Amino acid sequence: MPLRSVIAGCGGCLPAQVVTNEELAARHGLDTSDAWIRERSGITRRHFAGPGETAASMGAEAARRALAQAGIEAGEVDAVIVATATPDSAFPATAVHIQRLLGVTRGFGFDVSAACTGFIYALAIADSMLRTGQARCALVIGTEVYSRILDWTDRGTCVLFGDGAGAVVLRAEERADGRGILSTHLHADGRHADILHVEGTTGPLRMAGREVFKHAVTKLAAVVEEALAANGLPREAVDWLVPHQANIRIIEAMGRKLGLPPEQVVVTVDRHANTSAASVPLALAEAVEDGRIRKGDLVLLEAIGGGLTWGAALLRF
Ligand code: COA
């Protein structure tokens, strides 16, 4: 029987502080409006970390929820792989801080830097390591505090991001029923590094929104086709699209491209804004928690972000 990486549980963590578009505009004296932000991005509000909330603390909480859903003890975890662009410290890695917060004392842990595509990268690495026997049970986490790297005078970027964390427990299992990660597809093209980047290590974030938008629509469309073709599956086989949550217009374009009705596309951007590497696992956790995504469903994940980096993963949940 083939060794597969199966998602055993998912969890999310959003900070308590919720900030609406109006509140954000008033707080920073921005020349913007709720109507503009909603119409151009689909965002109505976002969560921001409060004092003491960090990438590690939120990532650990999301991981606890994922472990609880999986019915797995922290002691069984032998790999922690964290995607983040906003780590607690240069080192130790956020993964190691999370290990400590969870009481995990064995195996290994490290961070992955691929901006908004980070969770797909982390999932691909974990999948490879599980299938080659380097670990048996991995926590794969995306966690971000972009509120700490934004320029509050730049209305073109500061209205688009939020904070949060999402996690999955990935377990190596011999399965004959087809469940597990089917394939992952990673890309990067450093020629476009300038259009979305963080200055130095502490920010602020800079983005040429219109250019990123154009790349997003074409590159995401290509990578989802690549994932389906690699598995010889038609578009109609997809039960759920769980896309990166940057802009509702990009998400809707991807849904149309796949011929999926809006009910089969998981959307959180309206309430979370763009939480970068946390957005895909947060959306996945929400749709699993509320019963939309069920065992055996074919789920397509995709994301694009600074680098440019982009990628997709196809899995049978
Ligand atoms: N409120 C009001 N006006 C704003 C604004 C705001 N918050 N931000 C920008 N504007 C203005 C611009 O200054 C511009 O004015 P001008 O025409 O007088 O120069 C106008 O709105 C249009 O700006 P533009 O950037 O072309 O708008 P857009 O329709 O492309 O939407 C984004 C902007 C950022 C929402 C959109 O480009 C986007 O989502 N890009 C992709 C972002 C993304 O996916 N990023 C993450 C990938 S990980």
Side-chain angles (χ1 to χ4, degrees):
M1 264 189 286
L3 194 59
R4 282 276 175 78
S5 310
V6 177
I7 294 184
C10 306
C13 171
L14 290 159
Q17 184 190 179
V18 177
V19 180
T20 65
N21 292 340
E22 290 98 340
E23 286 164 346
L24 189 69
R27 189 183 285 189
H28 298 287
L30 295 169
D31 179 16
T32 188
S33 65
D34 176 52
W36 191 96
I37 300 168
R38 275 176 198 254
E39 191 197 314
R40 305 314 293 163
S41 71
I43 295 163
T44 66
R45 58 184 193 266
R46 73 285 291 141
H47 294 249
F48 284 148
E53 282 178 309
T54 68
S57 73
M58 293 191 300
E61 186 51 32
R64 278 186 204 103
R65 292 176 191 173
L67 287 166
Q69 191 180 81
I72 288 176
E73 298 293 328
E76 280 183 54
V77 172
D78 54 11
V80 182
I81 306 181
V82 173
T84 186
T86 47
D88 287 29
S89 53
F91 69 83
T94 309
V96 176
H97 288 299
I98 291 175
Q99 242 198 349
R100 179 176 50 81
L101 290 169
L102 296 176
V104 175
T105 53
R106 63 198 196 94
F108 57 86
F110 60 89
D111 290 1
V112 173
S113 170
C116 298
T117 321
F119 181 77
I120 308 279
Y121 270 61
L123 196 68
I125 296 165
D127 175 42
S128 298
M129 299 189 92
L130 291 183
R131 283 188 299 104
T132 52
Q134 295 176 74
R136 297 287 306 170
C137 181
L139 272 170
V140 185
I141 302 166
T143 181
E144 303 282 14
V145 273
Y146 269 46
S147 61
R148 302 204 173 126
I149 58 163
L150 295 172
D151 175 353
W152 299 109
T153 65
D154 177 9
R155 66 179 183 171
T157 56
C158 73
V159 302
L160 301 174
F161 294 90
D163 301 336
V168 301
V169 182
L170 211 57
R171 196 162 51 181
E173 294 179 10
E174 282 172 355
R175 301 213 66 110
D177 60 3
R179 284 187 63 211
I181 294 178
L182 305 184
S183 66
T184 56
H185 305 267
L186 305 182
H187 295 275
D189 185 345
R191 286 176 302 173
H192 308 299
D194 289 349
I195 65 171
L196 177 51
H197 68 282
V198 171
E199 287 182 6
T201 51
T202 53
L205 175 149
R206 299 286 177 215
M207 177 170 74
R210 207 176 296 185
E211 268 194 78
V212 174
F213 193 100
K214 277 190 247 161
H215 282 289
V217 176
T218 53
K219 289 184 164 54
L220 290 174
V223 79
V224 300
E225 290 299 339
E226 181 187 327
L228 289 169
N231 293 281
L233 287 166
R235 292 174 192 172
E236 307 79 76
V238 176
D239 294 306
W240 298 100
L241 174 65
V242 183
H244 173 46
Q245 309 282 325
N247 188 310
I248 193 67
R249 292 183 290 148
I250 298 172
I251 294 170
E252 286 173 353
M254 293 305 298
R256 280 195 300 275
K257 168 93 193 150
L258 287 163
L260 285 175
E263 309 81 69
Q264 282 169 257
V265 180
V266 180
V267 174
T268 58
V269 69
D270 52 333
R271 292 157 289 126
H272 300 179
N274 181 349
T275 57
S276 192
S279 94
V280 168
L282 265 170
L284 185 65
E286 184 174 287
V288 170
E289 176 83 33
D290 67 21
R292 274 178 289 172
I293 296 181
R294 297 179 191 190
K295 276 193 183 130
D297 285 353
L298 189 70
V299 180
L300 181 54
L301 316 178
E302 45 87 332
I304 184 163
L308 287 176
T309 55
W310 67 102
L314 194 61
L315 60 97
R316 197 158 292 283
F317 191 76

